[in-house]
Amino acid sequence: MKKFAFIIQASNNELARALHGLLYAQELNEAGHEVTIIFDGAGTTWVKEFEDPSNPYNPIYKAVKKLGIIAGACEYCPSAYGVADEVKKAGPTLGERNGHPSVAQLVADDFQLIIL
């Protein structure tokens, strides 16, 4: 079993990157690998988009969320992108490194980083 950390940093016009991050993580999880997903930077805007029930990709997001593999979103970045309330409502925020998730900790925990 391998360990993968998907860090979604896709901007608003990069739906395919954000969506495929969810799909790849789901597939690896179903194959028995340990997987975690973190929304970071501009990628935090996707939390708001995917949480919206009218978004056509909401069912995929909900299925991935139900797997328990979404660790959360950066603590700092949602404010910078105007989605702080929506991100806090959706789940945990991560701020081990001055308000940002710690990639060093992920590496120390043997996760392979995949940044989309």
Side-chain angles (χ1 to χ4, degrees):
M1 178 174 78
K2 295 185 179 180
K3 297 169 83 171
F4 299 94
F6 286 83
I7 301 174
I8 298 178
Q9 292 188 330
S11 65
N12 291 359
N13 63 348
E14 296 178 303
L15 168 62
R17 290 174 66 115
L19 179 60
H20 282 88
L22 297 178
L23 294 172
Y24 298 153
Q26 181 182 38
E27 179 183 4
L28 287 167
N29 176 265
E30 290 170 354
H33 298 286
E34 186 172 343
V35 179
T36 190
I37 300 170
I38 297 170
F39 291 91
D40 192 27
T44 59
T45 62
W46 288 105
V47 174
K48 175 184 175 185
E49 296 299 320
F50 289 147
E51 283 280 343
D52 181 352
S54 69
N55 185 301
Y57 303 105
N58 172 269
I60 294 168
Y61 173 80
K62 283 177 29 181
V64 170
K65 194 172 182 180
K66 187 175 181 180
L67 293 173
I69 61 175
I70 298 177
C74 177
E75 184 178 280
Y76 175 83
C77 292
S79 294
Y81 289 93
V83 292
D85 291 340
E86 294 87 352
V87 168
K88 285 180 184 172
K89 182 179 175 187
T93 56
L94 310 169
E96 307 90 354
R97 183 90 175 143
N98 298 318
H100 300 280
S102 173
V103 294
Q105 187 60 56
L106 290 167
V107 171
D109 291 340
D110 295 323
F111 281 91
Q112 178 179 336
L113 303 180
I114 300 173
I115 301 171
L116 295 169

